Amino acid sequence: MSETSPSPANTLHWHAIGQSHQSLGRTVTDRLRELIVAGEFEPGLRLIADDLAEEFEVSRGMVREALLVLATEGFVEIEPRRGTRVAIFSGKQADDLFEIRKSLEGLVAALAAQRRTEEQLADLRSAVEQGMRTAQSGNLNELPLLNTRFHNLLATAAGNEFLVETLHRLSKIIEWVYARRIIQRSTQSWEEHFQIVTAIADHDPERAMLAAHDHITRAWVAYQSPAS
């Protein structure tokens, strides 16, 4: 298990966040989350606020605040006298996430089949086409974000603000989990997305729900399988 923060040479395009024009607190939080989701900061890695503050050219207090936010989101673990580490996603946590995703995504797909507009359907089809092209081209690093976009479009098409907000809060954790089995399921996952959209296009909520349930179940099984 790593004990120190990685050097800038091993991370995603490090640059001085202190020079950014965005809200510094949000920028620091977003950057750390991005590095975790992308696997640049691996589970168990110790995160040292002083080192991160120096690399980002921001205050130590700002880094600590960002780490607190990420702790509430489940990306890092803060232990008294032991410091802060990137969270290790347990099997129980994964099961809990997939369990709730199966119910939520099934409901989302069914509602989208009833409520989607032609514009939303076009966006979903475009997202699937882009995802399939990207998977077939082997650009796997782009797929987690495309997967998040697809599921966000689905939630929007469902027309339920509470569902949209709930899935938005889970989206980055889902993206993190998705990345773990991206090689095994890159093309298959987008073929399943295609089946969901086909049912939505046909205004068939039952078939859309079943397709979504099948998609999440297959992702769940892949996550539990040993990495090849």
Side-chain angles (χ1 to χ4, degrees):
M1 182 180 294
S2 302
E3 290 298 328
T4 58
S5 297
S7 65
N10 297 325
T11 58
L12 292 175
H13 308 295
W14 284 73
H15 63 267
I17 288 178
Q19 299 172 6
S20 171
H21 296 293
Q22 300 182 48
S23 163
L24 282 178
R26 178 176 177 180
T27 301
V28 173
T29 304
D30 289 348
R31 182 65 58 78
L32 288 170
R33 188 191 299 109
E34 174 189 355
L35 292 167
I36 293 170
V37 170
E40 296 288 339
F41 285 3
E42 296 182 352
L45 177 74
R46 186 181 177 194
L47 299 175
I48 302 174
D50 286 343
D51 292 349
L52 294 171
E54 181 179 351
E55 299 296 347
F56 289 162
E57 296 187 12
V58 297
S59 70
R60 182 173 183 270
M62 190 165 291
V63 171
R64 289 177 63 86
E65 289 177 7
L67 293 173
L68 286 171
V69 172
L70 295 176
T72 65
E73 295 178 354
F75 288 99
V76 304
E77 298 169 347
I78 301 175
E79 300 180 0
R81 298 181 299 279
R82 297 188 63 181
T84 302
R85 297 182 186 278
V86 177
I88 299 174
F89 211 62
S90 71
K92 175 62 166 60
Q93 287 173 311
D95 286 346
D96 288 347
L97 178 62
F98 281 107
E99 189 173 69
I100 193 171
R101 277 199 71 198
K102 185 173 180 179
S103 295
L104 290 178
E105 297 288 359
L107 177 58
V108 162
L111 291 175
Q114 299 173 62
R115 299 174 178 174
R116 56 84 177 167
T117 66
E118 288 300 318
E119 182 179 359
Q120 289 168 337
L121 178 60
D123 287 342
L124 286 167
R125 283 173 165 161
S126 176
V128 170
E129 289 171 3
Q130 183 180 4
M132 187 65 75
R133 286 196 305 270
T134 303
Q136 291 172 345
S137 69
N139 296 324
L140 302 185
N141 61 314
E142 298 178 18
L143 288 179
L145 190 58
L146 290 175
N147 184 70
T148 297
R149 177 173 180 266
F150 172 78
H151 285 281
N152 285 344
L153 288 171
L154 267 184
T156 300
N160 184 303
E161 292 183 5
F162 289 105
L163 268 177
V164 170
E165 177 61 27
T166 299
L167 288 170
H168 177 73
R169 289 198 301 268
L170 292 172
S171 64
K172 287 300 179 181
I173 287 287
I174 292 170
E175 191 174 315
W176 190 21
V177 170
Y178 174 86
R180 176 171 169 173
R181 289 292 181 264
I182 195 172
I183 294 177
Q184 292 93 325
R185 282 186 43 78
S186 57
T187 302
Q188 181 183 349
S189 179
W190 288 95
E191 291 172 348
E192 293 159 13
H193 289 167
F194 175 79
Q195 295 302 321
I196 295 170
V197 173
T198 299
I200 289 172
D202 292 341
H203 291 289
D204 190 333
E206 182 176 358
R207 183 155 55 91
M209 177 180 287
L210 290 174
H213 284 171
D214 179 68
H215 171 57
I216 301 302
T217 298
R218 289 175 182 271
W220 193 348
V221 170
Y223 185 89
Q224 293 171 327
S225 302
S228 58

